[in-house]
Amino acid sequence: MADREFALVLHDIAPATWPDYRSFVEQIDGMGQIPMTWLVVPDFHHRSNTFEDAGMLRLLHQRMARGDELALHGFYHCDDAPPPRTPRDYFMRRLYTYEGEFYPIEYDEALERLERGAELFRREDWPLDGFVAPAWLLGDGARRALKTQGFTYTSDPEHLYRLPDYTAIKAPSLVWSARSRWRRGMSWVVNERARRRHRREPLIRLGLHPVDMRHDISRRYWIDTIRRLLEEGYQPTTKISWLHRQSNSTPETLAMSSS
Ligand SMILES: [Zn+2]
């Protein structure tokens, strides 16, 4: 099968999470030239500031220079808006995740955080094409704000969306839920099934989280999966490099209206 690619995506990049990732990234680097997309959080949980950490900035500059992609992943990452008031909000913001920073905030707040994030990237001279909302959750206000900011794409677990019109392009992800033992056991099964089900897709994304690195089963799963994809002839890519090579009229593309 020709032209299948995979994109290795590291979520939640900040000084606080780098110790989790470091040896994993070294191991991947040892497997060859495998570009990665780094989802950078400017100020993780208000207490781990990427852009004030000289070592972190040096690292990210080095990754850029070797062909990796840096994308913006929220600003604080955590949801610290006032408590949810409706059952749906309670589900989304307390049961599903506590990390949906861009779900509850209004247009103005989202705009302000996007502008500040983009400004930090500009200051470092880093190109900025992608915005990925924490927990992939974009509220209505954030969704409208994101259209105005000149980003090339955003994503959720199933799709990449070309901005500003949110044109959906199918690009399934493998993702672990590594928080508890039973979720980790389930994740292995769920992800293996998904990998086989999507084996005809031109792009598969691997969405990695810092917690995956703390458990042998998930960490090993990612290493084994990357090795297997390479053996099967998949080419590694970044999300933006893959997107740049797609025409706007691929058959997988379907227009999705935006609010
Ligand atoms: Zn995240």
Side-chain angles (χ1 to χ4, degrees), residues 14-221:
T17 61
W18 175 237
D20 286 326
Y21 276 126
R22 179 197 293 267
S23 72
F24 178 84
V25 168
E26 285 168 1
Q27 197 172 349
I28 299 298
D29 285 347
M31 291 164 66
Q33 174 59 33
I34 300 176
M36 312 175 196
T37 299
W38 299 59
L39 302 189
V40 176
V41 183
D43 189 4
F44 192 72
H45 287 220
H46 302 269
R47 55 190 156 73
S48 181
N49 196 312
T50 299
F51 291 85
E52 287 173 4
D53 187 301
M56 203 63 203
L57 289 176
R58 203 161 42 240
L59 168 74
L60 293 173
H61 276 285
Q62 286 164 0
R63 302 307 303 194
M64 279 283 309
R66 75 190 284 293
D68 289 2
E69 174 190 3
L70 308 180
L72 183 62
H73 186 45
F75 198 91
Y76 302 111
H77 200 276
C78 52
D79 167 1
D80 39 32
R85 281 181 308 217
T86 65
R88 176 175 162 77
D89 273 8
Y90 183 80
F91 175 81
M92 295 304 279
R93 299 178 52 204
R94 291 295 179 263
L95 300 180
Y96 177 69
T97 183
Y98 271 91
E99 299 289 326
E101 179 193 1
F102 275 69
Y103 182 75
I105 58 178
E106 302 293 342
Y107 177 90
D108 290 344
E109 183 69 42
L111 195 67
E112 195 256 337
R113 293 186 196 188
L114 289 168
E115 282 172 348
R116 273 162 63 210
E119 174 56 29
L120 291 166
F121 271 64
R122 252 193 312 276
R123 213 178 66 193
E124 300 302 323
D125 247 336
W126 294 339
L128 179 55
D129 293 290
F131 175 79
V132 179
W136 289 288
L137 290 178
L138 270 181
D140 286 342
R143 195 179 156 81
R144 280 183 287 118
L146 183 58
K147 286 171 72 120
T148 69
Q149 292 299 297
F151 286 90
T152 308
Y153 76 90
T154 187
S155 63
D156 66 19
E158 292 301 321
H159 298 91
L160 296 174
Y161 298 93
R162 262 188 215 282
L163 294 171
D165 49 3
Y166 289 91
T167 306
I169 302 173
K170 192 176 176 194
S173 296
L174 305 183
V175 185
W176 272 62
S177 180
R179 273 181 300 171
S180 64
R181 185 182 288 270
W182 73 267
R183 285 170 192 260
R184 291 193 291 276
M186 279 301 291
S187 287
W188 197 95
V189 176
V190 168
N191 279 285
E192 266 311 276
R193 262 192 216 142
R195 187 181 63 76
R196 287 197 294 265
R197 188 169 66 244
H198 297 309
R199 71 182 180 278
R200 291 177 194 285
E201 298 297 337
L203 179 69
I204 189 154
R205 290 175 292 153
L206 314 183
L208 281 64
H209 289 85
V211 63
D212 300 354
M213 304 300 132
R214 292 186 214 140
H215 301 283
D216 210 40
I217 181 176
S218 37
R219 186 186 159 120
R220 214 174 46 226
Y221 176 81

